[in-house]
Coordinates of all heavy atoms in Angstrom, one line a residue:
M1 N 116.8 -10.6 44.1 CA 116.5 -9.7 45.2 C 115.0 -9.8 45.7 O 114.8 -9.8 46.9 CB 116.7 -8.2 44.7 CG 116.5 -7.2 45.8 SD 117.1 -5.6 45.5 CE 116.6 -5.2 43.8
L2 N 114.1 -10.1 44.7 CA 112.7 -10.3 45.1 C 112.5 -11.5 46.0 O 111.8 -11.5 46.9 CB 111.9 -10.3 43.9 CG 110.4 -10.5 44.1 CD1 109.8 -9.3 44.8 CD2 109.7 -10.6 42.8
R3 N 113.3 -12.6 45.6 CA 113.1 -13.8 46.4 C 113.6 -13.7 47.8 O 113.1 -14.3 48.7 CB 113.9 -14.9 45.7 CG 113.3 -15.4 44.4 CD 114.0 -16.5 43.8 NE 113.5 -16.8 42.5 CZ 114.0 -17.7 41.7 NH1 115.1 -18.3 42.0 NH2 113.4 -17.9 40.5
K4 N 114.6 -12.8 48.0 CA 115.2 -12.7 49.3 C 114.3 -11.9 50.2 O 114.2 -12.1 51.4 CB 116.5 -11.9 49.2 CG 117.2 -11.7 50.5 CD 118.5 -10.9 50.3 CE 119.1 -10.6 51.7 NZ 120.3 -9.8 51.6
T5 N 113.5 -10.9 49.7 CA 112.8 -10.0 50.6 C 111.3 -10.1 50.4 O 110.6 -9.2 50.9 CB 113.2 -8.6 50.3 OG1 112.9 -8.3 48.9 CG2 114.7 -8.3 50.5
W6 N 110.8 -11.2 49.8 CA 109.3 -11.2 49.6 C 108.5 -11.3 50.9 O 107.5 -10.7 51.0 CB 108.9 -12.4 48.7 CG 109.1 -13.8 49.4 CD1 110.1 -14.6 49.4 CD2 108.1 -14.4 50.2 NE1 109.9 -15.7 50.1 CE2 108.6 -15.6 50.6 CE3 106.8 -14.1 50.6 CZ2 107.9 -16.5 51.4 CZ3 106.1 -15.0 51.4 CH2 106.7 -16.2 51.8
G7 N 109.1 -11.9 51.9 CA 108.4 -12.0 53.2 C 108.3 -10.6 53.9 O 107.3 -10.2 54.5
E8 N 109.5 -9.9 53.9 CA 109.5 -8.6 54.5 C 108.6 -7.6 53.7 O 107.9 -6.8 54.3 CB 110.9 -8.0 54.5 CG 111.8 -8.7 55.5 CD 112.5 -10.0 54.9 OE1 112.2 -10.4 53.7 OE2 113.3 -10.6 55.6
S9 N 108.6 -7.8 52.4 CA 107.7 -6.9 51.6 C 106.2 -7.2 51.9 O 105.4 -6.3 52.1 CB 108.0 -7.2 50.1 OG 107.1 -6.4 49.3
L10 N 105.9 -8.5 52.0 CA 104.5 -8.8 52.4 C 104.1 -8.3 53.8 O 103.0 -7.8 54.0 CB 104.3 -10.3 52.3 CG 102.9 -10.9 52.6 CD1 101.9 -10.4 51.6 CD2 103.0 -12.4 52.7
A11 N 105.0 -8.5 54.7 CA 104.7 -8.0 56.1 C 104.5 -6.5 56.1 O 103.6 -6.0 56.8 CB 105.9 -8.4 57.0
G12 N 105.3 -5.8 55.4 CA 105.1 -4.3 55.3 C 103.8 -3.9 54.7 O 103.1 -3.0 55.1
Y13 N 103.5 -4.6 53.6 CA 102.2 -4.3 52.9 C 101.0 -4.6 53.8 O 100.1 -3.8 54.0 CB 102.1 -5.1 51.6 CG 100.7 -5.0 51.0 CD1 100.4 -3.9 50.2 CD2 99.8 -6.0 51.1 CE1 99.2 -3.7 49.7 CE2 98.6 -5.9 50.5 CZ 98.3 -4.7 49.8 OH 97.0 -4.6 49.2
V14 N 101.1 -5.8 54.5 CA 100.0 -6.1 55.4 C 99.9 -5.2 56.5 O 98.8 -4.7 56.9 CB 100.1 -7.6 55.9 CG1 99.2 -7.9 57.0 CG2 99.9 -8.6 54.7
G15 N 101.0 -4.8 57.1 CA 101.0 -3.9 58.2 C 100.4 -2.5 57.9 O 99.6 -2.0 58.6
L16 N 100.8 -2.0 56.7 CA 100.3 -0.7 56.3 C 98.8 -0.8 56.0 O 98.0 0.1 56.3 CB 101.1 -0.1 55.1 CG 102.5 0.4 55.4 CD1 103.2 0.7 54.1 CD2 102.4 1.6 56.2
T17 N 98.4 -1.9 55.3 CA 97.0 -2.1 55.0 C 96.1 -2.2 56.2 O 95.1 -1.6 56.3 CB 96.8 -3.3 54.0 OG1 97.7 -3.1 52.9 CG2 95.4 -3.4 53.6
V18 N 96.6 -3.0 57.1 CA 95.8 -3.2 58.4 C 95.7 -1.9 59.1 O 94.6 -1.6 59.6 CB 96.4 -4.4 59.2 CG1 95.8 -4.4 60.6 CG2 96.2 -5.7 58.6
G19 N 96.8 -1.2 59.2 CA 96.7 0.1 59.9 C 95.8 1.1 59.2 O 95.0 1.8 59.9
S20 N 95.7 1.1 57.9 CA 94.8 1.9 57.2 C 93.4 1.5 57.4 O 92.5 2.4 57.6 CB 95.1 1.9 55.7 OG 96.4 2.4 55.4
W21 N 93.1 0.2 57.4 CA 91.7 -0.2 57.7 C 91.3 0.1 59.1 O 90.1 0.5 59.3 CB 91.6 -1.7 57.4 CG 91.4 -2.0 56.0 CD1 92.3 -2.4 55.1 CD2 90.2 -2.0 55.3 NE1 91.7 -2.6 53.9 CE2 90.4 -2.3 53.9 CE3 88.9 -1.6 55.7 CZ2 89.4 -2.3 53.0 CZ3 87.9 -1.6 54.7 CH2 88.2 -2.0 53.4
I22 N 92.2 0.0 60.1 CA 91.8 0.4 61.4 C 91.4 1.8 61.5 O 90.4 2.2 62.1 CB 93.0 0.0 62.4 CG1 93.1 -1.5 62.5 CG2 92.7 0.7 63.8 CD1 94.3 -2.0 63.3
M23 N 92.2 2.7 60.8 CA 91.9 4.1 60.8 C 90.6 4.4 60.1 O 89.8 5.2 60.5 CB 93.0 4.9 60.2 CG 94.3 4.9 61.0 SD 94.2 5.6 62.6 CE 94.0 7.3 62.1
L24 N 90.3 3.6 59.0 CA 89.1 3.8 58.3 C 87.9 3.4 59.2 O 86.9 4.2 59.2 CB 89.1 3.0 57.0 CG 87.8 3.1 56.2 CD1 87.6 4.5 55.6 CD2 87.9 2.1 55.0
V25 N 88.0 2.3 59.8 CA 86.8 1.9 60.7 C 86.6 2.9 61.8 O 85.5 3.2 62.1 CB 87.1 0.5 61.2 CG1 86.1 0.1 62.3 CG2 87.0 -0.6 60.1
G26 N 87.7 3.4 62.4 CA 87.6 4.4 63.4 C 86.9 5.7 62.9 O 86.1 6.3 63.6
S27 N 87.3 6.0 61.7 CA 86.7 7.3 61.1 C 85.2 7.1 60.8 O 84.4 8.0 60.9 CB 87.4 7.7 59.9 OG 87.2 6.8 58.8
I28 N 84.8 5.9 60.4 CA 83.4 5.6 60.2 C 82.6 5.7 61.5 O 81.5 6.2 61.5 CB 83.2 4.2 59.4 CG1 83.8 4.4 58.0 CG2 81.8 3.8 59.4 CD1 83.8 3.0 57.3
M29 N 83.2 5.2 62.5 CA 82.6 5.3 63.8 C 82.4 6.7 64.3 O 81.4 7.1 64.8 CB 83.4 4.5 64.9 CG 83.3 3.0 64.7 SD 84.4 2.0 65.7 CE 83.8 2.3 67.3
F30 N 83.4 7.6 63.9 CA 83.4 9.0 64.2 C 82.2 9.6 63.4 O 81.4 10.4 64.0 CB 84.7 9.7 63.8 CG 84.7 11.2 63.8 CD1 84.6 11.9 64.9 CD2 84.6 11.8 62.6 CE1 84.6 13.3 64.9 CE2 84.6 13.2 62.5 CZ 84.6 13.9 63.7
L31 N 82.0 9.3 62.2 CA 80.9 9.8 61.4 C 79.6 9.3 61.9 O 78.6 10.1 61.9 CB 81.1 9.4 59.9 CG 82.1 10.2 59.1 CD1 82.2 9.6 57.7 CD2 81.8 11.7 59.1
A32 N 79.5 8.1 62.4 CA 78.3 7.6 62.9 C 77.9 8.3 64.2 O 76.7 8.7 64.4 CB 78.4 6.1 63.3
G33 N 78.9 8.7 65.0 CA 78.6 9.5 66.2 C 78.2 10.9 65.8 O 77.3 11.4 66.5
A34 N 78.7 11.4 64.8 CA 78.3 12.7 64.3 C 76.9 12.7 63.8 O 76.1 13.7 64.0 CB 79.2 13.3 63.2
V35 N 76.5 11.6 63.2 CA 75.1 11.5 62.7 C 74.2 11.4 63.9 O 73.1 12.1 63.9 CB 74.9 10.2 61.8 CG1 73.5 9.9 61.6 CG2 75.6 10.4 60.5
G36 N 74.6 10.7 65.0 CA 73.8 10.7 66.2 C 73.6 12.0 66.8 O 72.5 12.4 67.3
V37 N 74.7 12.8 66.9 CA 74.6 14.1 67.5 C 73.7 15.0 66.6 O 72.9 15.8 67.1 CB 76.0 14.7 67.6 CG1 76.0 16.2 68.0 CG2 76.8 14.0 68.7
T38 N 73.9 14.9 65.3 CA 73.0 15.7 64.4 C 71.5 15.4 64.6 O 70.7 16.3 64.6 CB 73.4 15.4 62.9 OG1 74.8 15.7 62.7 CG2 72.5 16.2 62.0
V39 N 71.2 14.1 64.8 CA 69.8 13.7 65.0 C 69.3 14.3 66.4 O 68.2 14.8 66.5 CB 69.6 12.2 64.9 CG1 68.3 11.7 65.4 CG2 69.9 11.7 63.5
M40 N 70.2 14.2 67.4 CA 69.8 14.6 68.7 C 69.6 16.2 68.7 O 68.7 16.7 69.4 CB 70.8 14.2 69.8 CG 70.8 12.8 70.1 SD 72.0 12.2 71.3 CE 72.6 13.6 72.1
L41 N 70.4 16.9 68.0 CA 70.3 18.4 68.1 C 69.4 18.9 67.0 O 69.1 20.1 67.0 CB 71.7 19.0 67.9 CG 72.7 18.7 69.0 CD1 74.1 19.3 68.6 CD2 72.2 19.2 70.3
H42 N 68.9 18.1 66.1 CA 68.1 18.6 65.0 C 68.7 19.7 64.2 O 68.1 20.7 63.8 CB 66.7 19.0 65.5 CG 66.0 17.9 66.2 ND1 65.5 16.8 65.6 CD2 65.7 17.8 67.5 CE1 64.9 16.0 66.5 NE2 65.0 16.6 67.7
S43 N 70.0 19.6 64.0 CA 70.8 20.6 63.3 C 71.8 19.9 62.3 O 72.5 18.9 62.7 CB 71.6 21.5 64.3 OG 72.4 22.3 63.6
P44 N 71.9 20.4 61.1 CA 72.9 19.8 60.2 C 74.4 20.2 60.4 O 75.3 19.7 59.8 CB 72.4 20.3 58.8 CG 71.8 21.6 59.1 CD 71.2 21.5 60.5
V45 N 74.6 21.1 61.3 CA 75.9 21.7 61.5 C 76.9 20.6 62.0 O 78.0 20.5 61.5 CB 75.9 22.9 62.5 CG1 77.3 23.3 62.8 CG2 75.1 24.0 61.9
P46 N 76.6 19.7 63.0 CA 77.6 18.7 63.4 C 78.0 17.8 62.3 O 79.2 17.5 62.2 CB 76.9 18.0 64.5 CG 75.8 18.9 65.1 CD 75.4 19.7 63.9
I47 N 77.1 17.3 61.5 CA 77.5 16.4 60.4 C 78.3 17.1 59.4 O 79.2 16.5 58.8 CB 76.3 15.7 59.8 CG1 76.7 14.5 59.0 CG2 75.4 16.6 59.0 CD1 77.3 13.4 59.7
L48 N 78.0 18.3 59.1 CA 78.8 19.1 58.1 C 80.2 19.3 58.6 O 81.2 19.1 57.8 CB 78.1 20.4 57.7 CG 76.8 20.3 57.0 CD1 76.2 21.7 56.8 CD2 76.9 19.6 55.7
L49 N 80.4 19.7 59.9 CA 81.7 19.8 60.4 C 82.4 18.5 60.5 O 83.6 18.4 60.2 CB 81.6 20.4 61.8 CG 81.2 21.9 61.9 CD1 81.0 22.3 63.3 CD2 82.2 22.7 61.2
A50 N 81.7 17.4 60.8 CA 82.3 16.1 60.9 C 82.8 15.6 59.5 O 83.9 15.0 59.4 CB 81.3 15.1 61.5
I51 N 82.0 15.9 58.5 CA 82.4 15.5 57.2 C 83.7 16.3 56.7 O 84.6 15.7 56.1 CB 81.3 15.7 56.2 CG1 80.2 14.6 56.4 CG2 81.7 15.6 54.7 CD1 78.9 14.8 55.6
L52 N 83.7 17.6 57.1 CA 84.9 18.4 56.7 C 86.1 17.8 57.5 O 87.2 17.6 56.9 CB 84.6 19.8 57.1 CG 85.8 20.8 56.8 CD1 86.1 20.9 55.4 CD2 85.5 22.1 57.4
V53 N 86.0 17.5 58.8 CA 87.1 17.0 59.5 C 87.5 15.6 59.0 O 88.7 15.3 58.9 CB 86.8 16.9 61.0 CG1 87.8 16.1 61.8 CG2 86.6 18.3 61.6
W54 N 86.5 14.8 58.6 CA 86.8 13.5 58.1 C 87.5 13.5 56.8 O 88.5 12.8 56.6 CB 85.4 12.7 57.9 CG 85.6 11.3 57.4 CD1 85.9 10.3 58.2 CD2 85.4 10.9 56.1 NE1 86.0 9.1 57.4 CE2 85.7 9.5 56.1 CE3 85.1 11.5 54.9 CZ2 85.6 8.7 55.0 CZ3 85.1 10.7 53.8 CH2 85.3 9.3 53.8
L55 N 87.1 14.4 55.9 CA 87.8 14.6 54.6 C 89.3 15.0 54.8 O 90.2 14.4 54.2 CB 87.1 15.6 53.7 CG 85.8 15.1 53.1 CD1 85.1 16.2 52.3 CD2 86.1 13.9 52.1
V56 N 89.5 16.0 55.7 CA 90.9 16.4 55.9 C 91.7 15.2 56.5 O 92.8 15.0 56.1 CB 90.9 17.6 56.8 CG1 92.3 17.9 57.3 CG2 90.3 18.8 56.1
A57 N 91.1 14.5 57.5 CA 91.8 13.4 58.1 C 92.1 12.3 57.1 O 93.2 11.7 57.1 CB 91.0 12.9 59.3
M58 N 91.2 12.0 56.2 CA 91.4 10.9 55.2 C 92.4 11.3 54.2 O 93.3 10.5 53.8 CB 90.1 10.5 54.5 CG 89.1 9.8 55.4 SD 89.7 8.2 56.0 CE 90.2 8.6 57.7
F59 N 92.4 12.5 53.7 CA 93.5 13.0 52.8 C 94.8 12.9 53.5 O 95.8 12.5 52.9 CB 93.2 14.3 52.2 CG 92.1 14.3 51.1 CD1 91.0 15.1 51.3 CD2 92.3 13.6 50.0 CE1 90.0 15.1 50.3 CE2 91.4 13.6 49.0 CZ 90.2 14.3 49.1
S60 N 94.9 13.4 54.7 CA 96.2 13.4 55.5 C 96.6 11.9 55.7 O 97.8 11.6 55.5 CB 96.0 14.1 56.8 OG 95.6 15.4 56.6
L61 N 95.7 11.0 56.0 CA 96.1 9.7 56.3 C 96.6 9.0 55.0 O 97.6 8.3 55.0 CB 94.9 8.9 56.8 CG 95.1 7.4 57.0 CD1 96.2 7.1 58.1 CD2 93.8 6.7 57.3
A62 N 95.9 9.3 53.9 CA 96.3 8.7 52.6 C 97.7 9.2 52.2 O 98.6 8.4 51.7 CB 95.3 9.1 51.5
Y63 N 98.0 10.5 52.5 CA 99.3 11.0 52.2 C 100.4 10.4 53.1 O 101.5 9.9 52.6 CB 99.3 12.5 52.4 CG 100.7 13.2 52.2 CD1 101.2 13.3 50.9 CD2 101.5 13.6 53.2 CE1 102.5 13.9 50.7 CE2 102.7 14.1 53.1 CZ 103.2 14.3 51.8 OH 104.4 14.8 51.6
L64 N 100.1 10.3 54.4 CA 101.1 9.7 55.3 C 101.3 8.2 55.0 O 102.5 7.7 55.1 CB 100.6 9.8 56.7 CG 100.7 11.3 57.3 CD1 100.1 11.3 58.6 CD2 102.1 11.8 57.3
V65 N 100.3 7.5 54.6 CA 100.5 6.0 54.3 C 101.3 5.9 53.0 O 102.1 5.0 52.9 CB 99.1 5.3 54.2 CG1 99.3 4.0 53.6 CG2 98.5 5.2 55.6
G66 N 101.1 6.8 52.1 CA 101.8 6.8 50.8 C 103.3 7.1 51.1 O 104.2 6.4 50.6
V67 N 103.6 8.0 51.9 CA 105.0 8.3 52.3 C 105.6 7.2 53.0 O 106.7 6.8 52.8 CB 105.1 9.6 53.1 CG1 106.5 9.8 53.7 CG2 104.7 10.8 52.2
A68 N 104.9 6.6 54.0 CA 105.4 5.5 54.8 C 105.7 4.3 53.9 O 106.7 3.6 54.0 CB 104.4 5.1 55.9
S69 N 104.8 4.1 52.9 CA 105.1 3.0 51.9 C 106.3 3.2 51.1 O 107.1 2.3 50.9 CB 103.9 2.9 51.0 OG 104.1 1.9 50.0
H70 N 106.6 4.4 50.7 CA 107.8 4.7 49.9 C 109.0 4.5 50.8 O 110.0 4.0 50.4 CB 107.7 6.1 49.3 CG 106.8 6.2 48.2 ND1 107.0 5.5 47.0 CD2 105.7 6.9 48.0 CE1 106.0 5.8 46.2 NE2 105.2 6.7 46.8
V71 N 109.0 5.0 52.0 CA 110.1 4.9 52.9 C 110.4 3.4 53.2 O 111.5 3.0 53.2 CB 109.8 5.7 54.2 CG1 110.9 5.3 55.3 CG2 109.8 7.2 54.0
Y72 N 109.3 2.7 53.4 CA 109.5 1.2 53.7 C 110.1 0.5 52.5 O 111.0 -0.3 52.7 CB 108.2 0.6 54.1 CG 108.3 -0.9 54.4 CD1 108.8 -1.2 55.7 CD2 108.0 -1.9 53.5 CE1 109.0 -2.6 56.0 CE2 108.2 -3.2 53.9 CZ 108.7 -3.5 55.1 OH 108.8 -4.9 55.4
R73 N 109.7 0.8 51.3 CA 110.2 0.2 50.1 C 111.7 0.5 49.9 O 112.5 -0.3 49.5 CB 109.4 0.5 48.9 CG 108.2 -0.4 48.8 CD 107.5 -0.2 47.5 NE 106.5 0.9 47.7 CZ 106.0 1.6 46.8 NH1 106.3 1.5 45.6 NH2 105.1 2.6 47.1
C74 N 112.0 1.8 50.2 CA 113.4 2.2 50.1 C 114.3 1.5 51.1 O 115.4 1.0 50.8 CB 113.5 3.7 50.3 SG 115.2 4.4 50.2
A75 N 113.8 1.4 52.3 CA 114.6 0.7 53.4 C 114.7 -0.8 53.0 O 115.8 -1.4 53.2 CB 113.9 0.8 54.7
L76 N 113.7 -1.4 52.5 CA 113.7 -2.8 52.0 C 114.7 -3.0 50.9 O 115.4 -4.0 50.9 CB 112.3 -3.2 51.6 CG 112.1 -4.7 51.3 CD1 112.4 -5.5 52.6 CD2 110.7 -5.0 50.9
Y77 N 114.7 -2.0 50.0 CA 115.7 -2.1 48.9 C 117.1 -2.1 49.4 O 118.0 -2.9 49.0 CB 115.4 -1.0 47.9 CG 116.4 -1.0 46.7 CD1 116.3 -1.9 45.7 CD2 117.4 -0.1 46.6 CE1 117.1 -1.9 44.6 CE2 118.3 0.0 45.6 CZ 118.1 -1.0 44.6 OH 119.0 -1.0 43.5
V78 N 117.4 -1.2 50.3 CA 118.7 -1.1 50.9 C 119.1 -2.4 51.6 O 120.2 -2.9 51.5 CB 118.8 0.2 51.8 CG1 120.1 0.1 52.6 CG2 118.7 1.4 51.0
Y79 N 118.1 -2.9 52.4 CA 118.3 -4.2 53.1 C 118.6 -5.3 52.1 O 119.5 -6.1 52.3 CB 117.1 -4.5 53.9 CG 117.1 -5.9 54.4 CD1 117.9 -6.3 55.5 CD2 116.2 -6.9 53.9 CE1 117.9 -7.6 56.0 CE2 116.2 -8.2 54.4 CZ 117.1 -8.5 55.4 OH 117.1 -9.8 55.9
A80 N 117.9 -5.3 51.0 CA 118.1 -6.4 50.0 C 119.4 -6.3 49.3 O 120.0 -7.3 48.9 CB 117.0 -6.3 48.9
L81 N 120.0 -5.1 49.2 CA 121.3 -5.0 48.6 C 122.4 -5.4 49.6 O 123.6 -5.5 49.2 CB 121.6 -3.5 48.2 CG 120.7 -3.1 47.0 CD1 121.1 -1.6 46.7 CD2 121.0 -3.9 45.8
G82 N 122.0 -5.6 50.9 CA 123.0 -6.1 51.8 C 123.6 -5.1 52.7 O 124.5 -5.3 53.5
G83 N 123.1 -3.9 52.6 CA 123.7 -2.8 53.4 C 122.7 -2.4 54.5 O 121.5 -2.7 54.4
C84 N 123.1 -1.7 55.5 CA 122.2 -1.2 56.5 C 121.8 0.2 56.2 O 120.8 0.7 56.8 CB 122.9 -1.3 57.9 SG 124.1 -0.1 58.1
G85 N 122.5 0.9 55.3 CA 122.1 2.2 54.9 C 122.6 3.2 56.0 O 122.2 4.4 55.9
C86 N 123.4 2.8 56.9 CA 123.8 3.6 58.0 C 125.3 4.1 57.7 O 126.1 3.3 57.2 CB 123.9 2.9 59.3 SG 122.3 2.1 59.8
P87 N 125.6 5.3 58.0 CA 127.0 5.8 57.8 C 127.9 5.0 58.8 O 127.5 4.7 59.9 CB 126.9 7.2 58.1 CG 125.7 7.5 58.9 CD 124.7 6.4 58.5
R88 N 129.1 4.7 58.3 CA 130.1 4.0 59.1 C 130.7 5.0 60.1 O 131.0 6.2 59.7 CB 131.1 3.4 58.2 CG 130.6 2.5 57.2 CD 130.4 1.1 57.9 NE 129.9 0.2 56.8 CZ 128.9 -0.6 57.0 NH1 128.2 -0.6 58.1 NH2 128.5 -1.4 56.1
P89 N 131.0 4.6 61.3 CA 131.7 5.5 62.2 C 133.1 5.8 61.8 O 133.7 4.9 61.2 CB 131.6 4.8 63.6 CG 131.4 3.4 63.2 CD 130.6 3.3 61.9
T90 N 133.6 6.9 61.9 CA 134.9 7.3 61.6 C 135.8 7.4 62.8 O 135.3 7.9 63.9 CB 135.0 8.6 60.8 OG1 134.4 9.6 61.6 CG2 134.2 8.5 59.5
M91 N 137.0 7.0 62.7 CA 137.9 7.1 63.8 C 138.8 8.3 63.6 O 139.3 8.6 62.5 CB 138.9 5.9 63.8 CG 138.1 4.5 64.0 SD 137.3 4.4 65.6 CE 138.7 4.2 66.7
P92 N 138.9 9.1 64.7 CA 139.7 10.3 64.5 C 141.2 9.9 64.3 O 141.7 8.9 64.9 CB 139.5 11.1 65.8 CG 139.0 10.1 66.8 CD 138.3 9.0 66.0
T93 N 141.9 10.7 63.5 CA 143.3 10.3 63.3 C 144.2 11.2 64.1 O 144.0 12.2 64.6 CB 143.6 10.5 61.8 OG1 143.3 11.8 61.4 CG2 142.9 9.5 60.9

């Protein structure tokens, strides 16, 4: 089963990892902007709020990526077994 789906598994891993890195880079840019606003306003409030928003966003992203990884592995397992995992249509009698 592993030999049959190694390419799909690798593609899923790379896709989730690249997506996570893109989100991380975007969040670092968000924090850099918050530092700039903090320096301009001479107030620590913007950076404190940004750090709070950043932490919530990163925990949420980590949770969602974890769930997406499990769903992808489950779908890949069903694919490797040869099924589509879809219910078959029934004909009325």
Side-chain angles (χ1 to χ4, degrees):
M1 182 166 47
L2 181 63
R3 289 182 187 176
K4 179 181 176 184
T5 61
W6 71 269
E8 289 87 354
S9 180
L10 179 64
Y13 174 76
V14 168
L16 287 172
T17 302
V18 167
S20 296
W21 275 100
I22 289 171
M23 293 298 291
L24 179 65
V25 168
S27 72
I28 290 172
M29 292 170 63
F30 168 74
L31 283 177
V35 167
V37 170
T38 300
V39 169
M40 286 178 16
L41 295 177
H42 302 290
S43 171
V45 174
I47 192 67
L48 294 176
L49 289 175
I51 289 172
L52 179 65
V53 168
W54 183 81
L55 284 174
V56 169
M58 288 299 102
F59 281 123
S60 299
L61 177 66
Y63 178 75
L64 290 175
V65 168
V67 169
S69 175
H70 288 297
V71 169
Y72 182 79
R73 278 187 271 158
C74 179
L76 187 62
Y77 179 74
V78 170
Y79 168 75
L81 291 179
C84 72
C86 305
R88 303 277 184 227
T90 57
M91 299 296 286
T93 56

